[in-house]
Amino acid sequence: MMGSVTLADGTRLPALGMGTWALGDRADRRAQEIESLRGGLDQGLRLIDTAEMYGSGRSESLVGEAIAGRRDEVYLVTKIVPSNASRRQVPEHCRASLRRLGTDRIDLYLLHWQGAVPLEETVEAFERLKDEGLIGAWGVSNFDAGDMDTLAHVTGGVHCAANQVLYSLDYRGVEFDLLEADRRRHVLTMAYSPLGQGGDLLRAPVLARIAARHETTLGPATPAQVALAWVLRQPNLVAIPKAGSPAHQRENIAAAELALSAEDLAAIDRSIPPPARKVPLAMI
């Protein structure tokens, strides 16, 4: 059974969402990528995450096409790059994203990573977008615990709703302090690339052994489903794996059926240990 999370403003969402990095880059895959997103919506995956940087807006345009006529079913997230996050540029770039997405509002608007523009200036601009009704909430991405401390002391910084970070079995550093710090502040964690990078993680023998002990409605579990279920076990977290095909989307959704046992989790920790000390925040 799929878990859920509740944002500070009371919005309730499924713990599994849909990422779109690299979607929209190839015309020959567009139809199946749109079908994948619509299939996810059909199965209740409300959150769709994109960014102005992805494909220089192509991902946002693809999402806009996929959600046409279904906007009210979607919790829509997009991101602004830090070089565009000045007081003057934020409104312009937000409106450009709105046009590509084919909507009049963004539910959650994120600063993609911290750049040279002072946070005070970006937060002020985000708060104005909220006042104008162009966004429902704002947050950040790729912020470590120290960055979140700094943000909390900026005027309006306590209104940060989410922090999107790289989190998977091969990038466990955020477990040391960031996940709990965000929970204490009622900041939702969004886990991007929860299946790791390059496929090496999914070839880990421990995942194959655990997958062999589990079934889903699609049949025997896969290592990828185990890896995703492991991320989804965390409270206050939405995982946003990408699925470029309907079949891949169905596999991701079935991962939410898995209930990993204490034995499973202990085996994973022995093979891929949690962090024993603070490490720099990983990002891609």
Side-chain angles (χ1 to χ4, degrees), residues 114-133:
Q114 190 169 356
V117 175
L119 282 175
E120 292 84 354
E121 191 170 327
T122 303
V123 171
E124 178 189 333
F126 282 177
E127 288 290 309
R128 287 183 179 176
L129 292 179
K130 279 175 61 178
D131 292 342
E132 294 175 28

Side-chain angles (χ1 to χ4, degrees), residues 5-276:
V5 298
T6 303
L7 279 69
D9 65 3
T11 301
R12 193 170 180 84
L13 296 168
L16 182 62
M18 296 183 280
T20 62
W21 179 75
L23 298 192
D25 285 352
R26 287 183 48 172
D28 62 327
R29 294 181 178 173
R30 188 176 186 86
Q32 74 167 357
E33 289 170 351
I34 289 172
E35 185 182 355
S36 176
L37 292 173
R38 289 176 177 167
L41 289 178
D42 291 341
Q43 296 299 310
L45 303 190
R46 288 186 55 209
L47 188 149
I48 299 179
D49 174 83
T50 184
E52 67 172 7
M53 186 184 78
Y54 296 169
S56 299
R58 290 190 296 273
S59 174
E60 287 183 327
S61 297
L62 179 116
V63 170
E65 185 174 345
I67 68 174
R70 306 183 66 169
R71 176 64 184 90
D72 290 343
E73 300 176 44
V74 182
Y75 189 84
L76 188 57
V77 185
T78 193
K79 300 181 282 292
I80 185 171
V81 298
S83 58
N84 297 333
S86 68
R87 186 180 293 108
R88 179 182 63 83
Q89 291 176 292
V90 163
E92 170 190 345
H93 283 267
C94 178
R95 287 183 170 87
S97 287
L98 287 167
R99 287 192 296 271
R100 288 188 291 267
L101 290 163
T103 185
D104 61 357
R105 73 190 188 283
I106 293 163
D107 295 301
L108 179 62
Y109 199 39
L110 305 181
L111 176 63
H112 211 146
W113 64 89
Q114 190 169 356
V117 175
L119 282 175
E120 292 84 354
E121 191 170 327
T122 303
V123 171
E124 178 189 333
F126 282 177
E127 288 290 309
R128 287 183 179 176
L129 292 179
K130 279 175 61 178
D131 292 342
E132 294 175 28
L134 297 180
I135 67 173
W138 62 266
V140 295
S141 181
N142 297 302
F143 271 46
D144 206 347
D147 303 317
M148 295 301 288
D149 289 341
T150 300
L151 177 62
H153 289 90
V154 169
T155 299
V158 294
H159 297 152
C160 177
N163 183 16
Q164 185 177 129
V165 294
L166 177 62
Y167 181 46
S168 65
L169 266 169
D170 50 359
Y171 293 104
R172 296 188 65 172
V174 297
E175 293 178 19
F176 187 79
D177 56 357
L178 182 59
L179 294 183
E180 178 56 31
D182 282 349
R183 278 194 289 267
R184 287 198 307 269
R185 290 194 171 104
H186 305 289
V187 172
L188 176 71
T189 296
M190 298 178 65
Y192 72 83
S193 296
L195 299 180
Q197 292 296 304
D200 289 345
L201 170 65
L202 303 186
R203 291 190 286 272
V206 66
L207 297 185
R209 290 195 298 272
I210 293 171
R213 298 200 287 263
H214 290 273
E215 292 275 337
T216 75
T217 52
L218 298 180
T222 66
Q225 288 173 324
V226 172
L228 182 53
W230 179 89
V231 172
L232 288 170
R233 86 200 190 287
Q234 287 283 1
N236 189 55
L237 180 145
V238 171
I240 50 169
K242 176 183 69 175
S245 70
H248 190 182
Q249 194 72 266
R250 289 190 292 270
E251 182 179 354
N252 287 347
I253 292 167
E257 302 170 16
L258 297 183
L260 300 180
S261 68
E263 179 186 357
D264 294 334
L265 297 176
I268 288 172
D269 283 348
R270 286 193 298 271
S271 180
I272 310 171

